[in-house]
C-alpha cells in the first residue's frame, strides 16, 4: 500500500527538469541488482545488470518526460503519466513512448560505476524486440488501461 501511495504522489507526475550533466560516482558493480533495480537519485536514474553488463538508465520517460518509477511487483518500469511500460533494462513494452528508456554512457573508475549524465544513449525504437526474457512477474502498479 505504501507503494501505491508513492505512485500517486505529485512528484511522479511532474516532468523531469533539465539534466545537469556530468559524471556521477555511484556504487561498486557487485552491488547492482540482477533481478531488480537500484534507484540512484544523484544520477536521476537506475542501475541494473543484464548478462553481466551494468545498465545505467535515465529515469525520464521518452514520451513527455515524467519520471518513470520501477514497479517491484511486476518487475518492470511503468510510467504513471500515460502508461508507457518498459522492461527491467528499459526496453519498450507498450504505451505512447516512441522508444525505450535512455541510458547513460559510463565507466568503472577505481571500482565504482560512474555514469556520465551528459552522455545519453537513446533507447531503441518502440517495436524493437526485447533482449531479455523477463515477462511481467506479477501485478502492475499502474492501471493497465491508462493512456
Ligand atoms: S510521460 Fe511517460 S507515458 Fe507519457
Amino acid at each position: 500500500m505504501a507503494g501505491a501511495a508513492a505512485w500517486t504522489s505529485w512528484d511522479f507526475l511532474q516532468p523531469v527538469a533539465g539534466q545537469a550533466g556530468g559524471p556521477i560516482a555511484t556504487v561498486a558493480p557487485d552491488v547492482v541488482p540482477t533481478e531488480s533495480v537500484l534507484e540512484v537519485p544523484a544520477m536521476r536514474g537506475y542501475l541494473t545488470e543484464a548478462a553481466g553488463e551494468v545498465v545505467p538508465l535515465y529515469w525520464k520517460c521518452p514520451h513527455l518526460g515524467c519520471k518513470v518509477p520501477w514497479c517491484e511487483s511486476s518487475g518492470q518500469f511503468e510510467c504513471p503519466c500515460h502508461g508507457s511500460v518498459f522492461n527491467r533494462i528499459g526496453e519498450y513494452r507498450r504505451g505512447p513512448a516512441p522508444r525505450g528508456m535512455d541510458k547513460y554512457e559510463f565507466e568503472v573508475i577505481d571500482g565504482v560505476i560512474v555514469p556520465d549524465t551528459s552522455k545519453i544513449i537513446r533507447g531503441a525504437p518502440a517495436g524493437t524486440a526485447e533482449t531479455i526474457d523477463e515477462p511481467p512477474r506479477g501485478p502492475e502498479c499502474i492501471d493497465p488501461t491508462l493512456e
Side-chain angles (χ1 to χ4, degrees):
M1 280 297 139
W7 286 93
T8 58
S9 77
W10 183 243
D11 177 55
F12 282 136
L13 300 177
Q14 291 300 298
V16 177
Q19 189 76 340
I24 304 286
T26 62
V27 297
D30 63 354
V31 301
V32 175
T34 57
E35 296 180 358
S36 184
V37 304
L38 176 67
E39 183 171 329
V40 184
M43 68 175 237
R44 295 180 176 218
Y46 306 93
L47 293 171
T48 189
E49 181 191 306
E53 297 290 326
V54 170
V55 181
L57 293 167
Y58 183 18
W59 66 27
K60 181 179 176 181
C61 183
H63 180 224
L64 294 178
C66 291
K67 177 184 175 185
V68 185
W70 170 250
C71 177
E72 191 66 39
S73 60
S74 67
Q76 58 190 8
F77 290 98
E78 300 170 8
C79 185
C81 291
H82 314 98
S84 288
V85 175
F86 311 88
N87 72 14
R88 182 175 58 82
I89 60 171
E91 294 169 331
Y92 176 89
R93 284 206 159 136
R94 71 167 197 263
R99 63 179 188 277
M101 294 168 67
D102 297 335
K103 302 173 191 170
Y104 298 118
E105 291 185 18
F106 76 99
E107 294 180 275
V108 177
I109 301 174
D110 296 332
V112 173
I113 300 164
V114 183
D116 187 336
T117 60
S118 70
K119 296 180 178 173
I120 292 178
I121 303 165
R122 289 171 69 87
T128 303
E130 295 182 45
T131 61
I132 58 171
D133 182 20
E134 294 183 14
R137 60 189 179 207
E140 295 188 348
C141 295
I142 58 171
D143 177 348
T145 63
L146 179 67
E147 286 188 26

